[in-house]
Amino acid sequence: MAKKKRESIIESIIEGIQERKGEKITVVDLSGIEDTACRYFVICQGGTPNQTLAIEDSIRETVRIRENIKPAFVEGTRYAHWIAMDYGEVMVHIFVPEDRRFYDLEHLWADAALEEIPDLD
């Protein structure tokens, strides 16, 4: 996947998150680390399981419309505490706050470049 396309997908994912008031968005650039399953993580949170489901739906629709891409798989919608969406080289992780703190993905990948996206007011 070309870098320009990756950036466009990431922008569409961020737009989908912000559309449903997702917060604390972090883009984790794994491209400089060998043997990773993908090149980017986009991590965010919603306040409740219902909000994480709404964020997942918004991401799915925004990326489908703007990029004409569907996720290869989506996991975690049953309880919606941690939803993972696989877009090939971009993985999206949508958490409720307590699970995000517990799993702390940003610190698991301490060698990666992190970009925090400001919350919309």
Side-chain angles (χ1 to χ4, degrees):
M1 187 180 300
K3 185 174 177 73
K4 186 81 167 165
K5 187 69 171 172
R6 264 195 312 270
E7 291 172 359
S8 179
I9 290 169
I10 290 169
E11 289 304 314
S12 295
I13 290 166
I14 291 168
E15 180 181 316
I17 294 167
Q18 291 175 332
E19 179 70 26
R20 293 294 182 259
K21 309 291 189 227
E23 297 179 331
K24 299 186 179 181
I25 302 168
T26 302
V27 178
V28 181
D29 183 347
L30 303 167
S31 61
I33 302 173
E34 291 184 30
D35 299 324
T36 58
C38 61
R39 298 181 70 79
Y40 293 92
F41 283 167
V42 179
I43 305 168
C44 71
Q45 66 189 47
T48 66
N50 284 341
Q51 188 181 13
T52 65
L53 286 169
I55 292 167
E56 180 268 332
D57 184 61
S58 180
I59 293 168
R60 184 189 300 260
E61 284 302 302
T62 303
V63 173
R64 183 185 61 78
I65 291 166
R66 289 187 54 188
E67 311 295 331
N68 196 30
I69 298 172
K70 295 179 181 179
F73 81 86
V74 176
E75 186 65 46
T77 57
R78 182 171 184 178
Y79 299 108
H81 286 243
W82 176 4
I83 299 173
M85 304 177 76
D86 181 355
Y87 282 101
E89 292 192 355
V90 181
M91 287 287 299
V92 181
H93 300 275
I94 311 163
F95 288 98
V96 292
E98 49 277 0
D99 283 14
R100 184 175 186 174
R101 283 190 300 274
F102 180 80
Y103 290 104
D104 201 11
L105 292 184
E106 292 92 337
H107 289 102
L108 282 176
W109 295 97
D111 294 345
L114 303 178
E115 178 187 0
E116 294 185 12
I117 308 299
D119 291 342
L120 296 179
D121 292 328

